[in-house]
Amino acid sequence: QVQPVESGGDSVHTGGSLRLSCVSSGYRYQNRCMAWFRRAPGKEREGVASIHSDGHTSYQGSFKGRFTISQDPDKNTMYLQMNNLQPEDTAMYYCAAEDGRMTCNSYNEKIYSYWGRGTQVTVSS
């Protein structure tokens, strides 16, 4: 299996937008779960959103509405569109993947075996 690779992190001002990408080649597509997690400075890693290969999505907390998770199966790529970014969104964002699951979530990171190294998002006021 190949480690997922994130990209798209950057430094932006409050109210700005970013789109993160995660390429995960080498995985069986059927019943694949992919998710975004993040770790802010001094805090534990938290889930953001997940997406199943069937297209079903789920979001944690207040992310729904500002963040949108999506995927392009032909490119083995998952995305996270982030709008109206706030300083508290500053974090390292991680991509996670797992195969062979009927349902996905982003509140239990233990279900994911494959993790990327992260991409840094910094939001300044």
Side-chain angles (χ1 to χ4, degrees), residues 64-83:
K64 190 172 186 178
R66 283 197 308 133
F67 292 5
T68 303
I69 192 170
S70 62
Q71 63 188 358
D72 183 340
D74 293 336
K75 296 181 179 179
N76 280 333
T77 302
M78 173 180 67
Y79 304 98
L80 185 68
Q81 177 67 42
M82 305 186 295
N83 298 326

Side-chain angles (χ1 to χ4, degrees), residues 92-106:
M92 185 72 80
Y93 285 72
Y94 298 92
C95 168
E98 182 61 57
D99 283 341
R101 291 190 61 87
M102 298 301 295
T103 61
C104 308
N105 68 70
S106 56

